[in-house]
Amino acid sequence: MSCTKKISLQVNGREMELEIPVHINALTMIRDYLHLSGTKLGCGEGECGACTILVDGQSVNACLSFAVDLDGREMTTIEGLQGQDCLDTLQETFIGEGAVQCGFCTPGMIMQGTHILKNNPTANTEEIKRGIEGNLCRCTGYKKIVDAIASAVHNTQSIGT
Amino acid sequence: MTVIQKDSLIGKRIPKLDAPQKTTGEARFIQDIELPGMLHAKILRSDRVHAKILSIDTSAAATLPGVHAVITAKDTNGVPLGHGKDNPPLKGDKVRCIRDEIAAVAADTEAIAEHAISLIRVEYEDLPAVFSPGDALKDGAPIIHEAHTNNIPFNFDYEHGDSKQGEKESDIIIEDNFKLHFVTHCCLGVSGIIADYDSQGNLTLYSQTQIPFLFKKDIAPIVGIAPEKIRVIQPTIGGGFGSKLDIYPFEPICVYLAMKVRKPVRLLFTREEEFIASPTRQPVELTIRSGVKKDGTLTFRDVHTLHDNGGYTSWGATTPFVIMQTISSLYRVQHCNYHTTVVYTNNPYSGSFRGYGNLQATFAVESHMDKMAEALGMNPLEFRLKNAQEVGETTHQGMEFKTCGFHDCLNNAASKTNFVEKHAEYKNGQNGPVKKGIGIASLMHVGGGAKIYRTDGCGTMLKLDDFGQATVMTGSTDIGQGSETVIAQFVADELGLPMSAIHVINNDSELTPWDVGVHASRTTFIAGNSAIRAARKARTKLLDAAARKLNIDCDILDLRSGQVVHTETNEALLDIGKLIRSLHFTEKSEIVMTSEYYEPPSKMQDKGFKGDVSAAYAFGTQVIELEVDTETGEIRVDKVTAVHDVGRVINQMAIEGQIEGGVAMGLGYALMENLVVEEGIVKNPSFRDYKILTAPEIPDIDMEFIETHDPEGPAGAKGIGEAPSICISAAIVNALYNATGVRFYELPLTPENVLRGLKKHKETT
């Protein structure tokens, strides 16, 4: 028998109220209660980064966060990135640079890339590599993922946003 | 007047067709699929490695609220699965390795299922266990399977020439033992399956299998359902790399549960379970004796491989066939004797893994090539060039090299890196604890399929609709490498349609024609050829129809960018969609549908394992430049230069992705990955303790593709998927020797292992 708690949080720009068991992690809340399947369970131990989300603009492993700790916070998942009729810059560069193979690590990589862009908008290649150090990929060998993030850094700088 | 020039998609950078859905989180992996009323399954695994099962008490689990079914071996027909048909899905009488499946539960939630399995009580009687092939072969060793009292389910012998004669002809002979270790695939998406059994006895499986049609056929007798009543749907796959080429116990277990509860059941591994229970790369103990004449001609190779088969037989037991190919045919070798012993132990068992025995074989062969070069006083490049095959040669094992870029790969990789000069310079000694080293190694692997089964073919069905859209139904499977995009490129080129008009369906056995599966780097070659031929038939129909309609000879018509074009003026004459509509809605209405089953012109091996088993062969050379800190044992790979004979580049972006990913995997195998198995137990079943490469660790990769234009390959292409992982560990160990003068015969080259090896060498010299 588990206790539940009512929390209020912003999910991908939308205010929501949920009643959730107190023991669940944010990843379980996202996938099973909010039915957002883009955030992936890769290991459940904070080692692979497949569950990376943004909370108040900073990346976290959803599997290591208690869902109740998101009360009053702003949470962004992969579903929250794209515009109404267009993809986010990072999504476009991931597609264009060939940074996607099986795609399982992709949402986590893009969320972490978003964190890098927000917090270090002039990140160079080495900083990008360090930035995605906690995101594992078995297919791509990382090169094109780094290129895609670097390309987004460049595009964002040129636009001046 | 619109003018359209001739163009082609071959060789271009084409984004993967399903990339957009993967970047938005819309792509549905097996972990994301929910069916109405779906239950969740968990497996109780043994905590012993070799024991009799005395009793299993599931009563507490069965009565737990939320549990719908609990099954054990007695609830099944006991038909064993796997390549050796020695693996009953649920074990009733004894357990033979740490993975062994004792019981399974289907419940409302994963949490309830997990709780239920913790309530199951098993009584064991421990049996003595063995953890190495050597120990399993000793007199009096415990018998693991009654059918093989000597613990040897297989052995294989291969011979060409006479290696005793070869020994006589040799001026230098060297012999060494190599030991290759357990590593695991680490697919980011864990293993799982959904089984849905309906009221009519139809079974739908949502599976990550790499072999949908074989899977259907092979699972049928195990679950007792006729194969024609089984449908395999493949959601987006979270990585394959060979891990999904066999049937594994969890799959029929999920089906048994679904048949019992008559609701869909999903079974997913935890990450810890993935490390413990998914098949590993085959560990090999390899003894190799090589001979060479003083003029540098290789004379013989005498090889014995000892395989730890674990508790049950999966595809790992067949890696000897690929190892054999490298031993017999990587470089020209006049005489060869090869023997494999496959031995049961109480360790976890192995399956297929990218490269499939070739990593292990190449590690040994290319280490010996360097050793022999040094003994002869030849540089490693010239020694290899002397023995590297050229186009038109047939090896003694029967492999016909109709295209062969071996020399170009060697020469280009060496010249790009200044290999010969650097190798000589570093060899002469360096000051300070950090030493530089450069090493070279090459590979040969099948590139046009591998005729393991009587057919190595792939079927395609193609239809064009009223809007000029093409649907390609291919039997082949995409495991993330981009085969669906390459197939679309071929069809788009043949039909003169944009990529946006091509829709590939490759994931439903109810719709798609037969294919033997994604393995042996065969998909671009075989599925590509199949798609091209189906598309060509459609192209002919379209051009004939256009010729009739326009009253112009079809020889001077072409299809480009969705238009029928006059080839002399390049003028667009007729929209293809309009042409198809006019065909469909006229008196003699017809729609454009075609099909093709492509079988590559290769042969199954004969009883002596000889035969031209692939329609083409791929070659590659990699040069590693590294630094090693002799005080800490740390290796830093600065640069990987990879030159691969790929026949023809079809998708520049995707092929780069294969090299980059394959190199990362190969580097992991060489430097850091190690599934630690002690007394049969996996000690490091987590990403924290099993190290795969992370982004800051990737070296610079300089890659070059040699296009040898294979006459049978689609647009000339040959397979590439496995090649980039195959020779890199040999190049690293050769570079390490170049830097330190110390040769290593085991992997991985972790700092601890390197330091230990350097120290030991110092003490003994």
Side-chain angles (χ1 to χ4, degrees):
Chain A
M1 217 33 170
S2 74
C3 309
T4 62
K5 186 177 177 198
K6 277 204 180 78
I7 62 168
S8 307
L9 72 162
Q10 193 190 84
V11 177
N12 296 330
R14 203 162 144 243
E15 295 298 334
M16 297 191 75
E17 270 186 20
L18 291 180
E19 184 161 351
I20 46 162
V22 297
H23 70 282
I24 66 168
N25 63 33
L27 183 60
T28 301
M29 177 183 72
I30 289 164
R31 289 181 61 82
D32 296 348
Y33 289 79
L34 294 172
H35 304 289
L36 296 168
S37 64
T39 309
K40 304 300 179 197
L41 170 59
C43 70
E45 297 180 312
E47 292 290 333
C48 74
C51 66
T52 306
I53 57 171
L54 297 180
V55 177
D56 295 339
Q58 301 294 307
S59 64
V60 298
N61 286 322
C63 70
L64 292 182
S65 315
F66 276 114
V68 291
D69 286 345
L70 296 186
D71 191 18
R73 317 283 289 278
E74 287 177 15
M75 182 179 79
T76 311
T77 68
I78 188 74
E79 290 88 351
L81 282 197
Q82 71 218 65
Q84 188 69 12
D85 294 307
C86 62
L87 293 177
D88 178 75
T89 305
L90 263 174
Q91 289 167 322
E92 296 280 17
T93 59
F94 264 66
I95 296 164
E97 294 283 341
V100 181
Q101 289 189 31
C102 86
F104 201 87
C105 76
T106 304
M109 285 287 185
I110 290 177
M111 296 312 291
Q112 185 60 15
T114 306
H115 170 97
I116 294 169
L117 281 177
K118 278 191 160 68
N119 292 281
N120 187 359
T122 57
N124 62 28
T125 305
E126 284 314 307
E127 288 166 336
I128 293 170
K129 285 183 185 178
R130 280 274 158 227
I132 59 168
E133 188 171 28
N135 290 73
L136 297 180
C137 173
R138 200 48 160 161
C139 296
T140 68
Y142 304 102
K143 168 106 196 330
K144 291 188 181 340
I145 292 174
V146 173
D147 287 348
I149 298 172
S151 190
V153 165
H154 176 78
N155 291 355
T156 317
Q157 284 184 304
S158 328
I159 295 167
T161 26
Chain B
M1 174 176 114
T2 315
V3 164
I4 308 178
Q5 299 295 340
K6 185 77 180 161
D7 197 6
S8 170
L9 292 166
I10 304 302
K12 299 248 176 22
R13 307 183 75 82
I14 309 284
K16 200 169 185 307
L17 290 180
D18 59 5
Q21 291 91 327
K22 289 174 175 175
T23 65
T24 59
E26 291 167 301
R28 291 189 171 272
F29 297 81
I30 198 148
Q31 295 84 354
D32 306 320
I33 294 176
E34 305 266 342
L35 298 178
M38 188 172 83
L39 300 179
H40 300 267
K42 285 287 166 190
I43 292 172
L44 173 68
R45 294 181 187 276
S46 169
D47 61 5
R48 312 297 166 92
V49 297
H50 198 203
K52 281 194 194 140
I53 298 172
L54 298 176
S55 68
I56 307 172
D57 180 2
T58 59
S59 51
T63 54
L64 186 71
V67 169
H68 291 246
V70 183
I71 57 170
T72 61
K74 62 172 169 45
D75 298 301
T76 72
N77 59 18
V79 173
L81 53 76
H83 185 74
K85 304 262 184 288
D86 58 3
N87 195 354
L90 284 163
K91 280 66 181 173
D93 60 342
K94 72 183 265 197
V95 299
R96 298 174 175 87
C97 76
I98 198 60
R99 293 176 181 163
D100 277 24
E101 300 81 2
I102 311 292
V105 168
D108 287 332
T109 67
E110 277 196 21
I112 295 172
E114 269 170 15
H115 186 197
I117 59 172
S118 75
L119 299 174
I120 299 173
R121 296 278 160 265
V122 186
E123 250 190 283
Y124 295 102
E125 180 189 306
D126 283 314
L127 297 168
V130 280
F131 305 113
S132 71
D135 284 343
L137 290 173
K138 288 188 177 138
D139 280 333
I143 295 170
I144 296 168
H145 284 266
E146 299 307 314
H148 301 279
T149 53
N150 61 1
N151 287 327
I152 301 175
F154 307 104
N155 53 43
F156 308 104
D157 287 297
Y158 168 84
E159 193 174 27
H160 74 246
D162 175 357
S163 59
K164 297 231 174 343
Q165 178 60 31
E167 287 225 23
K168 290 192 192 126
E169 292 168 6
S170 307
D171 295 307
I172 292 170
I173 295 177
I174 53 174
E175 179 169 334
D176 290 295
N177 298 320
F178 292 85
K179 193 161 181 212
L180 287 313
H181 58 311
F182 280 111
V183 292
T184 185
H185 303 74
C186 296
C187 299
L188 262 289
V190 296
S191 304
I193 189 167
I194 300 173
D196 189 7
Y197 184 70
D198 74 13
S199 60
Q200 307 305 302
N202 299 309
L203 176 66
T204 302
L205 295 170
Y206 295 79
S207 165
Q208 299 187 96
T209 184
Q210 295 179 224
I211 46 163
F213 298 95
L214 296 178
F215 185 70
K216 196 170 114 138
K217 175 182 81 76
D218 290 344
I219 205 173
I222 299 162
V223 297
I225 298 172
E228 53 270 22
K229 289 181 89 67
I230 300 177
R231 177 181 184 182
V232 179
I233 294 177
Q234 296 162 281
T236 309
I237 293 171
F241 314 113
S243 60
K244 297 150 169 83
L245 281 175
D246 202 352
I247 298 188
Y248 292 100
F250 75 93
E251 295 166 311
I253 284 173
C254 191
V255 176
Y256 299 139
L257 286 168
M259 290 171 78
K260 195 156 190 198
V261 300
R262 298 301 167 107
K263 283 167 177 287
V265 179
R266 185 174 72 187
L267 198 163
L268 294 178
F269 282 15
T270 63
R271 178 55 63 181
E272 185 182 13
E273 199 173 7
E274 183 77 10
F275 274 104
I276 294 170
S278 74
T280 58
R281 185 181 288 284
Q282 179 66 57
V284 184
E285 292 171 48
L286 198 155
T287 304
I288 175 170
R289 196 172 159 77
S290 302
V292 66
K293 292 182 184 166
K294 57 176 178 277
D295 72 351
T297 311
L298 289 172
T299 49
F300 79 98
R301 278 185 199 135
D302 210 326
V303 173
H304 181 223
T305 67
L306 197 55
H307 289 242
D308 181 340
N309 200 40
Y312 303 92
T313 303
S314 183
W315 281 103
T318 63
T319 53
F321 298 119
V322 173
I323 296 176
M324 210 187 272
Q325 288 173 18
T326 294
I327 302 299
S328 79
S329 302
L330 177 62
Y331 301 104
R332 234 177 267 115
V333 186
Q334 203 48 30
H335 308 281
C336 176
N337 193 295
Y338 172 84
H339 182 69
T340 292
T341 312
V342 175
V343 188
Y344 282 125
T345 67
N346 295 113
N347 284 332
Y349 51 93
S350 302
S352 327
F353 194 166
R354 194 179 200 167
Y356 205 88
N358 207 350
L359 278 77
Q360 300 90 316
T362 304
F363 184 69
V365 168
E366 281 291 33
S367 294
H368 262 209
M369 290 300 282
D370 249 32
K371 275 187 93 160
M372 286 188 282
E374 189 178 33
L376 290 165
M378 289 173 84
N379 78 52
L381 175 68
E382 75 179 298
F383 177 54
R384 285 177 169 81
L385 286 168
K386 184 164 175 72
N387 293 286
Q389 290 100 333
E390 293 182 279
V391 65
E393 288 191 44
T394 299
T395 76
H396 292 286
Q397 200 176 355
M399 293 176 249
E400 297 174 26
F401 295 162
K402 300 177 197 79
T403 52
C404 176
F406 202 169
H407 279 244
D408 282 341
C409 290
L410 279 164
N411 281 316
N412 291 18
S415 69
K416 272 165 169 296
T417 53
N418 232 4
F419 172 80
V420 175
E421 289 78 7
K422 282 185 186 159
H423 189 269
E425 180 197 331
Y426 300 151
K427 194 177 148 168
N428 280 334
Q430 301 160 63
N431 291 325
V434 178
K435 316 268 186 208
K436 284 187 188 312
I438 190 168
I440 192 168
S442 293
L443 73 108
M444 183 273 299
H445 200 70
V446 293
K451 200 153 254 159
I452 308 167
Y453 303 95
R454 274 190 291 272
T455 170
D456 192 11
C458 175
T460 307
M461 296 190 297
L462 172 69
K463 72 168 177 128
L464 291 172
D465 77 4
D466 295 352
F467 305 98
Q469 305 287 299
T471 301
V472 185
M473 283 156 272
T474 173
S476 65
T477 295
D478 189 306
I479 46 173
Q481 82 282 42
S483 63
E484 101 288 32
T485 306
V486 155
I487 286 169
Q489 284 174 255
F490 288 136
V491 172
D493 256 22
E494 280 299 320
L495 297 179
L497 294 172
M499 283 292 281
S500 57
I502 316 292
H503 311 277
V504 178
I505 295 179
N506 59 0
N507 56 3
D508 187 341
S509 69
E510 197 98 311
L511 295 176
T512 55
W514 201 91
D515 173 61
V516 79
V518 50
H519 65 95
S521 309
R522 66 185 285 279
T523 303
T524 294
F525 194 101
I526 296 175
N529 270 336
S530 183
I532 288 173
R533 285 157 191 233
R536 213 160 266 167
K537 288 177 181 172
R539 176 190 169 80
T540 303
K541 276 194 179 181
L542 287 176
L543 289 176
D544 282 348
R548 285 196 310 270
K549 199 167 164 68
L550 297 168
N551 215 12
I552 298 177
D553 204 295
C554 61
D555 287 343
I556 49 171
L557 291 176
D558 194 10
L559 302 173
R560 300 175 194 169
S561 299
Q563 298 286 327
V564 180
V565 169
H566 194 300
T567 57
E568 284 164 7
T569 61
N570 295 324
E571 186 187 346
L573 300 176
L574 178 58
D575 179 85
I576 291 176
K578 210 164 175 181
L579 172 65
I580 297 172
R581 281 193 294 282
S582 75
L583 273 177
H584 191 184
F585 293 107
T586 53
E587 271 176 44
K588 192 180 166 241
S589 58
E590 53 181 304
I591 59 176
V592 184
M593 294 185 295
T594 64
S595 66
E596 176 76 23
Y597 184 77
Y598 172 74
E599 180 71 53
S602 46
K603 304 180 187 64
M604 280 188 94
Q605 291 177 333
D606 62 22
K607 288 197 171 61
F609 303 114
K610 293 187 177 140
D612 192 20
V613 74
S614 187
Y617 299 87
F619 299 87
T621 299
Q622 293 179 347
V623 170
I624 292 281
E625 294 174 74
L626 56 76
E627 274 188 9
V628 55
D629 186 332
T630 55
E631 285 174 350
T632 65
E634 282 173 282
I635 292 175
R636 192 185 73 201
V637 176
D638 288 325
K639 192 163 178 204
V640 177
T641 302
V643 182
H644 286 268
D645 166 15
V646 299
R648 182 91 183 271
V649 172
I650 305 300
N651 185 334
Q652 179 71 31
M653 201 151 73
I655 204 171
E656 288 171 5
Q658 288 305 294
I659 303 295
E660 288 155 3
V663 162
M665 211 167 229
L667 287 174
Y669 185 61
L671 297 173
M672 63 186 72
E673 290 183 43
N674 186 17
L675 195 69
V676 178
V677 180
E678 284 171 11
E679 313 249 294
I681 305 219
V682 176
K683 292 298 203 182
N684 57 341
S686 72
F687 283 125
R688 187 176 50 257
D689 295 325
Y690 181 98
K691 307 291 185 194
I692 69 171
L693 243 71
T694 59
E697 293 163 298
I698 57 171
D700 280 334
I701 304 177
D702 179 11
M703 60 181 94
E704 182 186 335
F705 300 107
I706 306 288
E707 293 190 314
T708 49
H709 299 278
D710 192 270
E712 186 66 22
K718 299 193 278 193
I720 186 60
E722 295 165 277
S725 296
I726 288 171
C727 62
I728 197 163
S729 48
I732 288 175
V733 84
N734 288 341
L736 190 54
Y737 179 81
N738 181 231
T740 63
V742 180
R743 190 155 279 285
F744 287 78
Y745 298 89
E746 291 184 29
L747 296 174
L749 299 168
T750 58
E752 294 89 343
N753 290 342
V754 171
L755 210 52
R756 214 173 278 132
L758 293 178
K759 235 181 141 196
K760 191 168 168 205
H761 184 258
K762 217 171 171 180
E763 284 160 7
T764 54
T765 43

